[in-house]
Amino acid sequence: MQIFALVASAALTLAALLVLVPAVRRMLRVVRMGGPASPGRTDEPVARTVTMLKETVLHTRMLQWTWVGVMHWFVFAAFLFLSTAVAGAYVQLFDPTWAWPIVGHWYLFEWFSEFIGALSTVGIVWLIAYRQKHHPRREGRKSRFYGSTFWQAYFVEYLALLEGAAILFIRGAEYHLVDQDHATRAHFPLSSWIGEALYPVGQGANENLVYFIAFFKIALAMVWLIVIGRNLTMGIAWHRFTAWFNIWFKREASGRTALGAVKPLAVEGRAITLDDIDDLDEDVSLGVGKIEDFSWKGLLDFTTCTECGRCQSQCPAWNTQKPLSPKLLMKGLREHTYLKAAGLAGHTDRALIGKGAADQGAYNPEGGEYVVDADVLWSCTTCGACVEQCPVDIEHVDHIIDMRRYQVLIESDFPAELNQVFKGLENRGNPWNMAASARMDWAKGLPFEVKEVGKDLESLESVDWLFWVGCAGAYEDRAKKTTRAVAELLHMAGVSFGVLGNRETCTGDSARRSGNEFVYQALAQENVETFKEFKVKQVVATCAHCFNTLKNEYKSFGIELEVVHHTQLLNRLVREGRLKPVAPEPGTTTRSITYHDPCYLGRHNQVYSPPRELLSALPGASYVEMERNSERSFCCGAGGARMWMEESLGERINMNRSTEAVGTGADQIVVGCPFCQVMLSDGVTALQAKDEAREEVEVLDVAQMLLASVKGGETTTKPDTTPTTPTPPAPPATAPAEPTASSAAGPSLFDQPETQPATPATSLFAQPDTEPAASLFDQPDTEPAKPAASLFDQPKTQPAAPAASLFAQPDTEPAKPAASLFAQPETQPAKPAPSLFAPPDTDPAPATRSLFDVPETEPKVEPETEPEQPEVPEKPKGLFDL
């Protein structure tokens, strides 16, 4: 038996080396196909090593799924130990009684050997059962294993089962071989029972058993290495080796996930700015247009993907029947990478992004001309759930944004709805394409003066905070209520603040996350110059997207800011006693509330507690948590510039989340971001129209809830005693005037009465006028405009000359060709597309019955229309001209 074991083990070992060594070299060559990584991945080596050990040895990220993480740790620990056990097996082929020097008969070492073998066996059996319980044949697309390569999973699982059990069986034979001093149950607490039950007592027989089991352990290990060496895309096996490196080289040396700031646009590892455009070669690739454009870290990401499906299970796009699965995206890119590196026909010239038929497949379709369908790329909301859940630190969002950059900056191929968003951002500094002169309309009627830089303040040094209003907070009606509520609360608390007024422009979040890096940089540079001019140091923002951009991304432009979200600052003021919520009147009914975590506040910036602490401080309100909350919160669907795009595939993400929120039975759904408020408000309204939600359910910002409570305990309502058409309550003492008319919507502390009832708007953002506008964002002029060619076009009385804009779009008969990267000429005007935010076709419903609408004494003023842009002489075509 000994000779057979020696010969067979030597043969298998040689075969494994002949397969594995070339395989590792091929893998390294593939990873090196990628360009330099940006930012650098080797800074702070000590911190990186600590992070790697925490995430591997302590399983900190795996334990986000507690029992799966625990069982996986048992298997992981056994795998590490088996590496030493296999090495010892080679020696046991010559000496069956051999033990490791020094520690070989140490009690703790022997106990660990036996219990890790047993726990590994239990753990892998549990994981096998878990995979079968959640198999796609049972759960379909809902299974996180949907699309995984099952034969590879089964191979790994059953081999791990045999390896773990082999530890106990070989020690059972050793129990009969060692000297009497060590042949006790104290040294063999588990395997001694196996030895007595299964093995004979004779010396020779047990020696042969040791030879066989030692060979068996070696054979298992060598078969493992041969199989994975022949399958370089077998991530479920290779991650045991590559995960250590992938975690060590993660983007942030601090150990945080690759969320918050977006990875900078880079060429050859060097970050590119607007100042570098003229120096770039004509054939330079901005973003990722082919597999070689990914950095080596990106290719290592693809190689390391274990196909565990945690990312897929949390992805809002996948959970609403869209083609994007972060797991399948990584898997598809990995397969294409290795097949292209091998020179396989059909992959060498295949486009990275393309558009196929509905039944063609989204990833590497048979005979397809592309690797990933464009619908996959544009379905992403950049919510970060995939990055948050990945146990091996794959940077999915960075890769998606890099591919979007190429589509926008090089191919000029992006969803048509983004045309007007880009125009509005470049020409007017906001995605709504509204006049800058309307940025302060939200402050009209407040009982105190809002100090504006350049008018009331020379710099921000004389106040505590810059209140960053944001585009939504300035232009969107629901967000204006949040802006007013925050301003009132800060005033009540004695916190001095100023605003930038029309000097404020968009932070550029939507531009950057839709791939339009240079528009983002132009907006960011403008804001940073303003910050420096007025000595801005501390900023409070109500928009989670603005908060994230100002906090994490503007530092690359040479400015350091202390940026807080309004929920953080308001929570601090309540804890300090500067704001005091008022208990409701006796006899009132407690109203229940639930909170939706904005992705860019929660996952991207780990702000989970302040909003909940603030809500818990409201007297007379009971709190109920949604099933998907905190790190596993479900996206509203607005991130990644999806706010501005139609959602034509699958279920609407906002409807999915709104249904969950309504299902809690809460009376108020509370948010901390204006984008979330828009999406969930529309979702709840749609559910109410279908009688699937109670009419009294409303979506409010945390600040609105707090203001109502501070002013008089309006978080509760009296049961069954409210008259059908009640008289509005008296305004607070600080209000400038008392409302003059009541609304059919019922009593509201913050209603905004107007001198004349406005005609129901045809869209979320339509401004009521004497005649309805023809488009979602149209600005009506003195003469009726013809139907615009786009959902977001703004008709004018006469055609304007082509604007000198990077994003100018030629009309059907342009006077001159527009020097625009993004111009997409059309043969004939398109009818206005149905809007995500358009109200139902039914008759207009009465105003929402909300306790939290803010009263104004002056009617809403329409934003002024800025003069047309003067014609600029055509410039010679450059790198980015079409």
Side-chain angles (χ1 to χ4, degrees):
M1 185 65 205
Q2 183 181 24
I3 295 175
F4 166 79
L6 282 168
V7 173
S9 297
L12 282 173
T13 302
L14 180 61
L17 290 174
L18 291 175
V19 172
L20 188 66
V21 172
V24 172
R25 295 177 63 184
R26 286 198 306 273
M27 180 176 288
L28 290 174
R29 282 198 302 269
V30 170
V31 172
R32 287 171 181 159
M33 286 169 53
S38 174
R41 305 296 179 126
T42 56
D43 59 321
E44 302 184 44
V46 174
R48 290 182 176 278
T49 303
V50 170
T51 296
M52 179 191 70
L53 294 175
K54 282 171 55 180
E55 293 190 15
T56 52
V57 177
L58 299 183
H59 260 42
T60 52
R61 299 186 62 75
M62 281 295 300
L63 288 169
Q64 291 181 103
W65 297 48
T66 305
W67 280 108
V68 174
V70 169
M71 297 301 173
H72 188 276
W73 188 89
F74 293 153
V75 179
F76 160 81
F79 175 77
L80 293 183
F81 179 76
L82 279 170
S83 300
T84 64
V86 171
Y90 282 101
V91 182
Q92 286 181 310
L93 292 176
F94 298 93
D95 181 5
T97 62
W98 178 86
W100 288 99
I102 302 175
V103 298
H105 294 295
W106 184 35
Y107 284 111
L108 291 180
F109 178 78
E110 292 185 315
W111 293 348
F112 177 80
S113 301
E114 301 217 349
F115 280 100
I116 200 60
L119 292 174
S120 172
T121 305
V122 171
I124 198 63
V125 169
W126 192 94
L127 292 174
I128 291 171
Y130 182 90
R131 184 180 294 270
Q132 295 305 311
K133 179 181 178 182
H134 297 285
H135 198 282
R137 65 172 169 265
R138 293 171 175 262
E139 299 181 354
R141 275 178 60 105
K142 293 182 180 180
S143 167
R144 67 184 177 99
F145 303 114
Y146 183 95
S148 297
T149 310
F150 272 84
W151 77 263
Q152 295 178 355
Y154 293 152
F155 172 80
V156 170
E157 288 172 345
Y158 290 111
L159 209 66
L161 176 62
L162 293 174
E163 288 173 339
I167 297 176
L168 294 176
F169 282 97
I170 197 169
R171 283 187 57 79
E174 292 171 359
Y175 173 68
H176 290 302
L177 294 177
V178 299
D179 58 76
Q180 294 300 316
D181 292 336
H182 295 105
T184 65
R185 296 205 193 278
H187 288 276
F188 297 84
L190 298 178
S191 59
S192 60
W193 300 96
I194 296 175
E196 289 180 351
L198 300 180
Y199 301 150
V201 178
Q203 181 82 5
N206 279 286
E207 286 182 355
N208 286 329
L209 282 171
V210 170
Y211 295 143
F212 175 77
I213 297 175
F215 159 70
F216 184 72
K217 287 197 298 183
I218 293 171
L220 287 177
M222 296 307 107
V223 168
W224 161 274
L225 294 178
I226 291 171
V227 171
I228 69 172
R230 299 285 295 173
N231 295 273
L232 295 183
T233 59
M234 194 173 179
I236 192 171
W238 276 107
H239 85 276
R240 294 190 176 190
F241 308 102
T242 60
W244 303 82
F245 300 98
N246 208 53
I247 295 171
W248 199 92
F249 289 116
K250 67 191 298 184
R251 195 177 79 187
E252 303 293 339
S254 64
R256 67 166 292 175
T257 54
L259 295 175
V262 170
K263 182 175 71 71
L265 174 65
V267 174
E268 295 299 325
R270 182 174 66 91
I272 298 299
T273 68
L274 282 169
D275 299 332
D276 301 317
I277 291 179
D278 294 334
D279 300 328
L280 296 176
D281 295 334
E282 291 185 1
D283 60 347
V284 71
S285 180
L286 299 174
V288 171
K290 56 183 183 298
I291 210 70
E292 293 86 353
D293 293 336
F294 284 106
S295 70
W296 62 263
K297 175 58 169 65
L299 302 186
L300 182 59
D301 275 354
F302 309 155
T303 301
T304 306
C305 178
T306 72
E307 300 182 28
C308 68
R310 290 188 178 203
C311 56
Q312 180 174 286
S313 72
Q314 304 298 303
C315 178
W318 183 259
N319 278 282
T320 53
Q321 298 80 51
K322 296 171 181 58
L324 169 60
S325 158
K327 176 186 75 177
L328 297 180
L329 177 60
M330 295 300 105
K331 179 182 174 184
L333 291 171
R334 176 175 64 200
E335 290 173 350
H336 170 68
T337 298
Y338 281 87
L339 291 173
K340 184 175 183 178
L344 188 70
H347 282 269
T348 53
D349 298 323
R350 180 175 288 190
L352 191 64
I353 305 296
K355 185 63 181 170
D359 59 346
Q360 192 171 3
Y363 306 93
N364 286 315
E366 285 288 336
E369 299 179 352
Y370 59 87
V371 180
V372 178
D373 194 280
D375 286 334
V376 170
L377 188 65
W378 295 105
S379 292
C380 180
T381 66
T382 67
C383 69
C386 49
V387 179
E388 177 70 31
Q389 288 295 320
C390 183
V392 293
D393 281 311
I394 294 173
E395 299 164 6
H396 313 75
V397 173
D398 282 346
H399 302 321
I400 288 172
I401 290 178
D402 264 341
M403 289 187 281
R404 285 184 175 184
R405 284 167 170 163
Y406 185 88
Q407 295 302 112
V408 172
L409 299 176
I410 301 299
E411 296 292 333
S412 190
D413 185 8
F414 48 86
E417 302 97 319
L418 292 177
N419 279 318
Q420 296 302 320
V421 175
F422 293 158
K423 281 185 178 180
L425 289 171
E426 188 184 2
N427 296 332
R428 294 195 171 188
N430 68 86
W432 274 273
N433 214 0
M434 302 287 279
S437 57
R439 275 194 177 268
M440 287 301 295
D441 285 354
W442 65 270
K444 293 178 178 179
L446 285 175
F448 55 89
E449 180 184 14
V450 177
K451 295 180 180 180
E452 188 176 347
V453 173
K455 294 183 179 179
D456 310 299
L457 299 170
E458 292 186 2
S459 76
L460 271 299
E461 289 182 315
S462 58
V463 294
D464 297 326
W465 296 91
L466 166 64
F467 179 18
W468 182 267
V469 177
C471 301
Y475 296 121
E476 205 281 312
D477 287 341
R478 283 165 284 197
K480 286 181 184 178
K481 296 179 182 180
T482 300
T483 307
R484 291 171 63 89
V486 172
E488 286 196 61
L489 289 165
L490 295 179
H491 179 72
M492 291 176 180
V495 176
S496 61
F497 66 92
V499 298
L500 294 178
N502 59 12
R503 293 176 181 267
E504 182 180 296
T505 191
C506 182
T507 59
D509 164 83
S510 291
R512 188 170 216 195
R513 281 156 182 80
S514 61
N516 202 329
E517 178 72 14
F518 293 133
V519 166
Y520 156 74
Q521 290 191 20
L523 294 168
Q525 287 178 3
E526 182 178 347
N527 281 323
V528 168
E529 290 303 317
T530 302
F531 291 163
K532 291 179 179 178
E533 178 184 355
F534 295 110
K535 299 178 175 59
V536 176
K537 298 297 182 185
Q538 293 181 303
V539 183
V540 55
T542 57
C543 175
H545 298 262
C546 294
F547 164 73
N548 175 71
T549 303
L550 295 172
K551 180 176 185 288
N552 297 315
E553 298 186 337
Y554 275 26
K555 62 183 68 175
S556 64
F557 292 90
I559 190 168
E560 291 293 332
L561 301 170
E562 179 189 350
V563 185
V564 300
H565 191 252
H566 71 288
T567 57
Q568 294 175 299
L569 181 56
L570 294 178
N571 185 53
R572 186 190 310 172
L573 295 174
V574 169
R575 301 300 163 186
E576 292 174 354
R578 298 170 70 178
L579 290 173
K580 297 182 179 180
V582 178
E585 297 179 4
T588 57
T589 299
T590 299
R591 289 176 69 85
S592 61
I593 56 178
T594 190
Y595 175 67
H596 163 79
D597 287 279
C599 300
Y600 274 83
L601 184 63
R603 274 189 292 264
H604 283 267
N605 288 282
Q606 303 300 303
V607 179
Y608 298 111
S609 298
R612 288 175 168 81
E613 291 175 2
L614 198 53
L615 293 173
S616 69
L618 302 181
S622 63
Y623 183 78
V624 57
E625 194 77 81
M626 281 187 260
E627 181 179 355
R628 296 176 292 188
N629 64 81
S630 303
E631 291 85 354
R632 295 198 196 182
S633 179
F634 198 71
C635 182
C636 75
R642 289 296 320 174
M643 174 81 167
W644 319 108
M645 298 181 233
E646 284 296 336
E647 195 169 347
S648 57
L649 299 173
E651 178 190 11
R652 290 186 184 274
I653 294 174
N654 68 320
M655 292 301 299
N656 186 293
R657 184 58 164 174
S658 298
T659 301
E660 179 181 12
V662 168
T664 64
D667 300 300
Q668 274 98 27
I669 301 167
V670 187
V671 299
C673 174
F675 282 24
C676 297
Q677 189 166 16
V678 167
M679 302 301 281
L680 295 185
S681 294
D682 287 351
V684 169
T685 299
L687 291 173
Q688 289 171 335
K690 295 187 293 185
D691 292 329
E692 295 178 7
R694 294 174 292 119
E695 288 299 322
E696 57 268 28
V697 176
E698 53 189 343
V699 181
L700 304 163
D701 188 89
V702 176
Q704 292 174 273
M705 296 284 291
L706 178 61
L707 179 62
S709 182
V710 169
K711 283 190 171 182
E714 292 293 340
T715 52
T716 60
T717 56
K718 295 183 179 181
D720 303 326
T721 58
T722 305
T724 306
T725 309
T727 304
T734 56
E738 186 171 332
T740 57
S742 62
S743 166
S748 172
L749 181 62
F750 305 111
D751 281 336
Q752 302 187 33
E754 301 186 4
T755 54
Q756 294 181 0
T759 304
T762 59
S763 162
L764 173 64
F765 308 113
Q767 303 293 321
D769 289 286
T770 54
E771 295 182 6
S775 170
L776 183 61
F777 302 112
D778 285 342
Q779 306 281 332
D781 295 296
T782 54
E783 296 181 11
K786 296 180 181 180
S790 166
L791 176 63
F792 306 100
D793 282 342
Q794 301 195 33
K796 301 189 179 285
T797 53
Q798 295 181 359
S805 164
L806 179 62
F807 307 102
Q809 302 293 312
D811 297 322
T812 53
E813 296 182 1
K816 296 179 181 179
S820 167
L821 172 63
F822 304 100
Q824 298 190 2
E826 298 181 359
T827 55
Q828 54 183 341
K831 295 181 181 180
S835 168
L836 173 64
F837 309 109
D841 294 331
T842 56
D843 293 335
T848 306
R849 298 172 180 263
S850 172
L851 294 170
F852 303 93
D853 293 335
V854 181
E856 292 183 354
T857 56
E858 296 183 25
K860 186 165 50 180
V861 179
E862 293 300 323
E864 300 175 8
T865 304
E866 291 188 338
E868 298 175 1
Q869 298 292 326
E871 183 177 355
V872 176
E874 185 178 5
K875 297 179 181 179
K877 288 191 175 182
L879 173 62
F880 303 103
D881 292 333
L882 290 178

